[in-house]
Amino acid sequence: MIGDSAFAAFADNLRRTRGLYAKADVAVATRRLGLSSESVVPVGDDCAAIPEHDGWLLFSTEGFANEFVAGDPWYAGWCGIAANMANVAAMGGRAIAVVDSLWSPSDVHADPVLRGLRDAAGAFSVPIVGGHTNLQSDRSQLSVSVLGRTRHLLSGFEARSGERLVAVFDLRGRFREPFNHWDAATNASGERLRGDLDILPQLAEAGLCRAARDIGQGGLIGTAAMLSEGSGVSVELDLDAVPRPEGVCDARWMQAVPSYGFLLSVQPKDVEAVLSAFRRRSIAAAEVGRLMPGSHLRLRSGGYQETIWDVAREPLTGCKATA
């Protein structure tokens, strides 16, 4: 693909990305709040998983950067629900209800955000049951939470050395310029969106996977680093095997925030069944790496390899698997 020095420079650029370093903000909060994966409810996964009878309640929340809400307010409202729905699916669950918190200077400013929330709630068939609204703010700000439920939990803490890394993306979309959000959802039918998300809980119920993460802010690189930290394993990611849209450069795609993108850790014997489950619905899926003992995220391409992050030396979120 590229020469040794060029690949080293490429890897260094990924190492310094804003999205990856933004994940380190989580470590500040977890440390000061005294939270970790060893808390009563383990912290650091895509959702809080709260034991309930014979399963778990899943509680997911997402907040959005001010410039994103101001620059693409309808899509910010849509993402408020869609991102949380992906978090719940990544934990093997199905959503129950939504609450949102919106601050805005006026009802005119709030309108596109509210329409985005309403449209996404309809598409994903999940009710908005409450929240908080303030129309006296100096800017628009948004936070959304979703409650879900599962009996078969997927977790970013459960990946194990010897398993294979599977990446899945819906490539039928486009970037929402100037942001790094890959939108493959807003032109899709609600039936397709719901069916595509349901693959994750179906895999959990079939016992084909027990570890997954939604690819969110930080892109594939940031998500792989969190999987490494959360599960206490090294992740080796093969850049050449990653599914990507035609014409999109590697550097941007590694940092992209896809509307549908997941990273799964799968036992070798189950890889083909997992890939087939996504491909049957025209979702790109590929084995893109492996998990090994250690604490490193390594990126390789051709004969070249670079370490992007060592979570033992420099924790990312401060949340890791228990011994």
Side-chain angles (χ1 to χ4, degrees):
M1 176 181 118
I2 53 181
D4 190 9
S5 60
F7 184 68
F10 171 77
D12 190 56
N13 286 335
L14 289 180
R15 190 180 297 116
R16 298 172 184 273
T17 59
R18 176 185 176 188
L20 184 57
Y21 272 92
K23 291 299 181 184
D25 292 349
V26 178
V28 176
T30 55
R31 184 172 61 251
R32 294 182 182 176
L33 292 171
L35 304 175
S36 74
S37 58
E38 300 179 16
S39 303
V40 175
V41 174
V43 174
D45 226 329
D46 281 312
C47 300
I50 305 166
E52 178 207 38
H53 306 305
D54 59 346
W56 290 265
L57 282 176
L58 302 175
F59 190 26
S60 170
T61 191
E62 293 282 353
F64 296 89
N66 292 342
E67 59 265 31
F68 179 52
V69 180
D72 200 347
W74 180 88
Y75 192 59
W78 173 281
C79 287
I81 289 178
N84 280 296
M85 295 291 291
N87 287 343
V88 170
M91 299 283 290
R94 297 176 176 91
I96 299 171
V98 177
V99 295
D100 69 276
S101 294
L102 174 64
W103 295 260
S104 198
S106 68
D107 61 340
V108 173
H109 288 85
D111 181 67
V113 181
L114 292 170
R115 284 191 287 108
L117 286 164
R118 181 193 63 199
D119 291 347
F124 289 100
S125 193
V126 59
I128 299 174
V129 298
H132 169 86
T133 305
N134 183 316
L135 301 183
Q136 315 302 320
S137 177
D138 64 345
R139 72 196 73 186
S140 291
Q141 296 177 298
L142 177 67
S143 176
V144 181
S145 299
V146 169
L147 187 68
R149 180 177 284 123
T150 184
R151 291 184 178 178
H152 303 272
L153 191 67
L154 299 178
S155 172
F157 298 145
E158 292 295 327
R160 295 292 179 263
S161 177
E163 294 183 335
R164 300 295 185 261
L165 202 61
V166 169
V168 299
F169 297 95
D170 189 342
L171 301 180
R172 298 165 289 185
R174 60 184 177 88
F175 279 112
R176 301 278 302 201
E177 303 291 357
F179 302 104
N180 224 21
H181 291 252
W182 179 261
D183 173 19
T186 57
N187 289 326
S189 69
E191 181 180 12
R192 191 184 99 189
L193 295 174
R194 295 189 298 271
D196 290 349
L197 278 183
D198 207 53
I199 299 172
L200 279 299
Q202 289 177 23
L203 291 175
E205 290 160 1
L208 293 173
C209 178
R210 66 177 187 178
R213 291 210 71 117
D214 169 54
I215 300 173
Q217 296 293 336
L220 181 59
I221 290 295
T223 303
M226 288 191 293
L227 186 69
S228 171
E229 182 179 35
S231 292
V233 294
S234 281
V235 172
E236 184 179 274
L237 182 62
D238 181 0
L239 176 65
D240 302 333
V242 174
R244 72 205 69 198
E246 185 177 352
V248 176
C249 70
D250 291 336
R252 189 174 194 187
W253 189 242
M254 290 299 101
Q255 304 169 60
V257 183
S259 60
Y260 188 101
F262 297 93
L263 201 56
L264 295 80
S265 182
V266 181
Q267 292 185 25
K269 66 181 180 63
D270 295 324
V271 167
E272 190 53 45
V274 169
L275 295 177
S276 296
F278 291 101
R279 290 170 178 169
R280 281 195 295 270
R281 295 190 63 86
S282 301
I283 296 168
E287 181 180 332
V288 298
R290 55 180 179 161
L291 306 182
M292 300 172 293
S295 59
H296 299 85
L297 168 61
R298 294 189 180 95
L299 184 67
R300 62 182 170 90
S301 176
Y304 306 113
Q305 180 172 284
E306 287 286 335
T307 295
I308 302 292
W309 203 277
D310 180 354
V311 295
R313 184 178 61 84
E314 191 174 0
L316 196 63
T317 67
C319 299
K320 58 185 179 180
T322 57

